[in-house]
Amino acid sequence: MGNHSIQFYNISAEATLDVIGGKWKLLILCYLNCGPMRSSQFRKVIPNLSQKMLTQQLRELEEAGIINRTIYNEVPPKVVYEISELGKSLKPILDQLGKWGEQYINVSKSNNPHAKIQLGECN
């Protein structure tokens, strides 16, 4: 973990959001919940995520101890990201968010039968 000044939170959930909050970190973690991935794989499953933003989000998650980055000594270098032991403790939270999202999508579809909702899945 990095050398940060001491952070104070109003409530403990704020600490969670500080670490995994934002549009891209949650998506990255949901995909890593399915297994290790390379940078190019993220770009395929999250096409609207720029390389710059992907790199930034991965670095922040790694710095927080949520993911591990492994660099293999190959030419070209192979870099693989996976959830760390600390990050694995987020699995029940990620699973619950997914279940809630499915329920929300079903309710939204029943309220608006013409809505088009596309879901990404683990491969």
Side-chain angles (χ1 to χ4, degrees), residues 1-4 19 59-67 84 86:
M1 306 243 289
N3 296 329
H4 290 288
V19 174
R59 283 182 183 156
E60 289 176 12
L61 288 166
E62 182 182 13
E63 187 175 298
I66 304 302
I67 65 171
S84 68
L86 175 61

Side-chain angles (χ1 to χ4, degrees), residues 18-74:
D18 189 36
V19 174
I20 68 168
K23 182 176 181 178
W24 303 119
K25 285 181 184 175
L26 189 57
L27 282 171
I28 289 167
L29 289 172
C30 285
Y31 280 108
L32 285 177
N33 200 24
C34 300
M37 293 181 72
R38 297 180 68 180
S39 182
S40 60
Q41 292 173 294
F42 285 114
R43 296 296 315 276
K44 288 177 185 171
V45 295
I46 315 173
N48 294 334
L49 176 58
S50 71
Q51 183 62 49
K52 179 182 176 185
M53 185 57 70
L54 173 62
T55 300
Q56 178 184 332
Q57 301 296 281
L58 289 169
R59 283 182 183 156
E60 289 176 12
L61 288 166
E62 182 182 13
E63 187 175 298
I66 304 302
I67 65 171
N68 293 323
R69 177 179 60 155
T70 304
I71 303 170
Y72 294 91
N73 191 14
E74 299 177 3

